[in-house]
Every structure is written in structure tokens, then in C-alpha cells.
């Protein structure tokens, strides 16, 4: 075989190998996509196109071997052959660009639903996670409750010891919440010194038990910046989630739990009350 044939076969082999590598890469990226069929389909279509390119390259290489001569006779034809070899590289770069964009979008979405100080879901994240959790409990015919919590005299901590000290307290409370809840529970910082829990599958008695355990845990483990006998305490309200669409039902229960929470503050703070 002539030099032209060897060059032709080398370029076709390179095209086939790059295309097959891109197919594997595209399929792996498609499998890694969760819950977005359009993005997954886009990667699978790209993989199928590349598979076709690899097949055409192999078929052309076999035909060249059978003929014993390269079909390219002009500079333009050789140029297109090089372009064919570059197509898989371009598609690989495109798939990687999609992956990076998806990762950025996911990171931005997570940041928009996460409180940066405590790493708990914020109000938006709490609502986004609470709906599916409530729906899962309802499918099993189980009740659910919300727990609204507010730190007692938190303004005095900020005013007397500085916002940095207040941030340490908030992070400590968040850590206590994470230690006290199950993986199926939804916890969030709704704003300021207010936190909330959604306990799917729990009734009022179980919700009160969780709230009391968490109240005691915060008092025992979160140090007050004043030191001595000063303690970080919570006032807590518990309310059952009623019927109706999940977002409205959760909001109504939170409103009821908030009323119980403020009643707890009026009765002396550092206690758990059930919504009437």
C-alpha cells in the first residue's frame, strides 16, 4: 500500500477511536443526569451521531484496504478528511461544556435554596423539600407536623456580644438540629433566628417529643457567649399539617405553629406549646 493509503487509514482510525471515546463519554454523562430527560436525550442523541461517524470511518477504512488506494486526490478532499477527525473532538468539548453548565446551574440552584451561614435550607429550600416529604407521608396515610422554633433573646446576644457571636450561636443551633432529626425530616432556617422542621409521618405527640429533645439539646450543647449560667434557649410551637395542597397546608401549619411559639414566649420562653 502507498503512503496515501496509510495516511488515510491513520486518519480514519483516529476518527473512529475519537468518536467511540466520545460515545462512551456522552453515554456516561447522559446516565449521570438525574431528573431531566431533555438533557439526557441530548447527550444520547450526540452519542448516536458519534456512533454513526465511527461506523462510517471504519467502513471507509475497510473499503480503502480492499481497493488498495486512497480515494482522496485533492487538497480539499484531504482537508475534509481532517475535519472528519476533528468532529468527535468538537462533540467531546460540547458535551463537557454541557456538563459544566449543568453543574453551575445545579450549584446556583442549591445556593438559592441554602442559607449560607448554617448550610440549612432557607425558606425557599424548606418549601421545595417539604412538598415531596409531605406527599410521601400522605401516600402512606401517615400524619405530619411542623415545628417552628425561635431563639430566645437573640437580639440581646447580637447587641451585647456582636453579630459574630450571634452567628456562632446560629451555627450551633443548626448543628443541634441536624443531630436531632432523621434523614426523612426537613429542617430549615426561615430567617433571622427562626428555624423550622417538617416531620413527615409524625403525629403531634411525636412532634412534641422531637421538639423537647431538640430544646434540651440546644440548651446543653450550644454555649452562650456570656458564659456562666447563661444558656441558649428555644421557644417552640408544634402544629399538625392539615389537608389540601402541600404548599398551602405547610404554610397554614407554620402559621399555627408560629402562634404557639409566640404564646410560649409570652408564658416565659424556653418551652414547647402545641397549636390550638
Amino acid at each position: 500500500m502507498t503512503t496515501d493509503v496509510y495516511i488515510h487509514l491513520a486518519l480514519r482510525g483516529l476518527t473512529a477511536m475519537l468518536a467511540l471515546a466520545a460515545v462512551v463519554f456522552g453515554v456516561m454523562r447522559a446516565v449521570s443526569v438525574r431528573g431531566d430527560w431533555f438533557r439526557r436525550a441530548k447527550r444520547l442523541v450526540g452519542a448516536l451521531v458519534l456512533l454513526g461517524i465511527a461506523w462510517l470511518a471504519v467502513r471507509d477504512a475497510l473499503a480503502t484496504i480492499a481497493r488498495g488506494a486512497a480515494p482522496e486526490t485533492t487538497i480539499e478532499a484531504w482537508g475534509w478528511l481532517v475535519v472528519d477527525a476533528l468532529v468527535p473532538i468538537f462533540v467531546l468539548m460540547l458535551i463537557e461544556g454541557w456538563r459544566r453548565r449543568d453543574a453551575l446551574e445545579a450549584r446556583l440552584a442549591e445556593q438559592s435554596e441554602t442559607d449560607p451561614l448554617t448550610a440549612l435550607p432557607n425558606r425557599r429550600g424548606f418549601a421545595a423539600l417539604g412538598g415531596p416529604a409531605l406527599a410521601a407521608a400522605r401516600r402512606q396515610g401517615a400524619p405530619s407536623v411542623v415545628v417552628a422554633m425561635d431563639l430566645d433573646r437573640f437580639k440581646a446576644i447580637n447587641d451585647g456580644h456582636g453579630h459574630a457571636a450571634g452567628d456562632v450561636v446560629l451555627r450551633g443551633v443548626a448543628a443541634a438540629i441536624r443531630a436531632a432529626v432523621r434523614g426523612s425530616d426537613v429542617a430549615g432556617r426561615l430567617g433571622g433566628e427562626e428555624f423550622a422542621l417538617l416531620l413527615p409521618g409524625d403525629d403531634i405527640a411525636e412532634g412534641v417529643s422531637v421538639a423537647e429533645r431538640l430544646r434540651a439539646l440546644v440548651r446543653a450543647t450550644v454555649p452562650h457567649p456570656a458564659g456562666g449560667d447563661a444558656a441558649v434557649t428555644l421557644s417552640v410551637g408544634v402544629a399538625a399539617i392539615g389537608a389540601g395542597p402541600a404548599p398551602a397546608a405547610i404554610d397554614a401549619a407554620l402559621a399555627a405553629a408560629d402562634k404557639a411559639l409566640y404564646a410560649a414566649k409570652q408564658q416565659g420562653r424556653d418551652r414547647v406549646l402545641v397549636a390550638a
Side-chain angles (χ1 to χ4, degrees):
M1 289 189 289
T2 64
T3 302
D4 287 351
V5 172
Y6 286 120
I7 295 175
H8 181 89
L9 293 176
L11 287 172
R12 285 308 188 199
L14 177 63
T15 301
M17 286 189 295
L18 288 173
L20 290 173
V23 167
V24 174
F25 187 75
V27 170
M28 290 175 61
R29 292 304 182 199
V31 171
S32 68
V33 175
R34 294 287 184 267
D36 193 326
W37 286 102
F38 176 74
R39 290 177 177 174
R40 181 177 294 182
K42 187 167 59 175
R43 286 157 176 74
L44 289 175
V45 169
L48 288 174
V49 171
L50 288 164
L51 192 60
I53 292 173
W55 177 76
L56 290 173
V58 170
R59 192 182 71 165
D60 184 65
L62 293 174
T64 299
I65 293 172
R67 285 194 309 268
E72 286 76 12
T73 57
T74 65
I75 294 178
E76 181 180 357
W78 282 105
W80 280 112
L81 189 64
V82 173
V83 169
D84 289 345
L86 293 176
V87 168
I89 297 177
F90 170 76
V91 177
L92 274 170
M93 295 172 62
L94 185 63
I95 293 174
E96 178 62 14
W98 290 340
R99 184 197 67 79
R100 293 189 178 189
R101 187 192 64 186
D102 293 347
L104 177 60
E105 289 179 355
R107 190 159 57 249
L108 291 174
E110 181 181 358
Q111 290 174 355
S112 72
E113 296 182 350
T114 303
D115 171 50
L117 178 64
T118 63
L120 290 174
N122 58 19
R123 183 177 291 273
R124 178 178 178 181
F126 183 83
L129 295 172
L134 176 59
R138 284 176 169 178
R139 284 194 296 270
Q140 299 173 2
S144 297
V145 299
V146 294
V147 178
M149 301 166 286
D150 194 88
L151 279 97
D152 296 325
R153 298 185 176 90
F154 185 69
K155 186 176 185 299
I157 293 177
N158 276 336
D159 292 347
H161 304 279
H163 287 279
D167 289 348
V168 171
V169 171
L170 290 171
R171 285 193 289 267
V173 172
I177 290 173
R178 279 190 286 267
V181 299
R182 305 162 300 186
S184 59
D185 299 333
V186 180
R189 180 189 178 198
L190 303 190
E193 64 270 28
E194 184 180 359
F195 296 83
L197 296 176
L198 190 154
L199 308 176
D202 284 0
D203 58 19
I204 286 292
E206 292 166 327
V208 170
S209 176
V210 171
E212 289 286 8
R213 185 170 69 250
L214 180 55
R215 184 182 65 85
L217 184 63
V218 167
R219 173 182 269 277
T221 63
V222 181
H224 195 289
D229 294 332
V232 176
T233 63
L234 294 174
S235 293
V236 187
V238 181
I241 300 178
I250 293 172
D251 287 344
L254 278 173
D258 273 338
K259 289 182 180 179
L261 181 159
Y262 286 109
K265 285 185 178 293
Q266 291 171 358
Q267 294 182 25
R269 300 182 176 87
D270 189 22
R271 65 193 62 213
V272 177
L273 292 184
V274 176

